[in-house]
Amino acid sequence: DIQMTQSPSTLSASVGDRVTITCRASQSISSWLAWYQQKPGKAPKLLIYKASSLESGVPSRFSGSGSGTEFTLTISSLQPDDFATYYCQQYNSYFVTFGPGTKVDIK
Amino acid sequence: QVQLVQSGAEVKKPGASVKVSCKASGYTFTSYGISWVRQAPGQGLEWMGWISAYNGNTNYAQKLQGRVTMTTDTSTSTAYMELRSLRSDDTAVYYCARGRDYPDYWGQGTLVTVSS
C-alpha cells in the first residue's frame, strides 16, 4: 500500500493566519490526491480533489497544490469555522489510503 | 439533494457479525459506487473498500479481506457492509460515502461497539 504522512500533526494558529499543511506519499501518486476537513462527531467533508481542484461550495481561501509525492493544503486566512482536523487521501492505487491527519486548533 | 442515511448504532460481542446499511437518495444510485471508511475512537480515517453500484464489483482493503463483504440492492438504492468475526479493535464509527476516488457525500456514521 502507498503510505501517506502529514505534517505537522497539530498546528496552533489564530484567526486570520495563513496555514499550510503538508502531505507526503511513499511513492508517486501523480495528482491523485484529495483533502478532507473533519469536525468532532461529524463526517469528513471533501475540500479538494485532484490535488488542486476546489470542491463546489468550498470557500476559496482553501487551496491545494503539489504533484508526485509532496502536496500542500493552504488556508489563506484562517476563519473560526476552520478549526478542525484535515486529512489527505490518495487514490492513485487500487487501495485508497488516508494520511494520519493534522489538527488545527486555536492558539 | 444527495443524502446517505445509515442504520443505527450496534453493540456486538467478539466473534459476532454486524451489517450496516446505507440508503442513498437524490441521485442515480447506479451511477456511483459506495465507499466504506471507518474511524476508531480518537483515531484517523481508515478506508475499508468500495463497491460499484453499477455492477457489484468490489475492492477491499487487504487487512479486511476475508472478513468484510459489501453489497448493494439497486431496487432500494441501499448499500450494505457486513463485517464478520468482530474483535474489540473493530469498535469504530463506520461511514458510507458516495464514489471511490474522492467521495463527495457521506453518511452520518454508524457506531459499532464490540464488547463482551
Side-chain angles (χ1 to χ4, degrees):
Chain A
D1 290 6
I2 296 175
Q3 307 303 316
M4 307 300 291
T5 59
Q6 288 183 234
S7 59
S9 55
T10 305
L11 186 162
S12 296
S14 301
V15 172
D17 284 353
R18 181 181 181 87
V19 165
T20 298
I21 298 168
T22 298
C23 174
R24 291 184 174 87
S26 60
Q27 64 189 71
S28 177
I29 57 170
S30 185
S31 295
W32 307 121
L33 185 100
W35 289 97
Y36 295 86
Q37 175 193 70
Q38 188 182 33
K39 296 180 180 179
K42 299 295 186 182
K45 174 186 175 182
L46 177 66
L47 300 176
I48 302 279
Y49 60 94
K50 207 176 175 185
S52 61
S53 296
L54 194 67
E55 172 69 354
S56 176
V58 173
S60 59
R61 63 181 180 271
F62 291 92
S63 63
S65 65
S67 66
T69 61
E70 189 157 331
F71 302 85
T72 58
L73 173 71
T74 300
I75 309 172
S76 61
S77 177
L78 198 66
Q79 298 302 300
D81 191 47
D82 301 338
F83 292 98
T85 300
Y86 294 84
Y87 295 92
C88 60
Q89 176 231 309
Q90 68 79 21
Y91 52 96
N92 179 71
S93 78
Y94 191 64
F95 302 109
V96 169
T97 46
F98 287 92
T102 294
K103 183 177 181 180
V104 177
D105 63 21
I106 301 172
K107 183 186 274 186
Chain B
Q1 72 285 18
V2 175
Q3 279 194 300
L4 298 173
V5 178
Q6 299 182 222
S7 49
E10 304 260 13
V11 179
K12 296 292 184 181
K13 293 193 182 305
S17 299
V18 69
K19 191 170 187 176
V20 178
S21 68
C22 170
K23 184 169 176 60
S25 61
Y27 72 97
T28 301
F29 184 65
T30 51
S31 294
Y32 295 82
I34 295 288
S35 294
W36 290 89
V37 174
R38 69 180 181 177
Q39 186 170 38
Q43 303 302 307
L45 302 171
E46 179 185 11
W47 182 78
M48 300 180 68
W50 170 86
I51 181 167
S52 166
Y54 174 72
N55 59 16
N57 285 349
T58 54
N59 166 203
Y60 301 141
Q62 287 184 303
K63 72 175 283 189
L64 296 174
Q65 288 272 2
R67 287 207 300 138
V68 68
T69 301
M70 297 176 188
T71 56
T72 59
D73 181 346
T74 57
S75 69
T76 60
S77 300
T78 303
Y80 299 90
M81 185 285 300
E82 181 180 33
L83 189 61
R84 299 176 294 279
S85 303
L86 289 168
R87 309 186 289 244
S88 58
D89 63 355
D90 291 317
T91 294
V93 175
Y94 289 74
Y95 294 102
C96 63
R98 187 181 79 161
R100 178 197 177 272
D101 290 350
Y102 47 90
D104 55 358
Y105 288 90
W106 292 63
Q108 82 277 19
T110 296
L111 175 62
V112 175
T113 302
V114 182
S115 173
S116 54

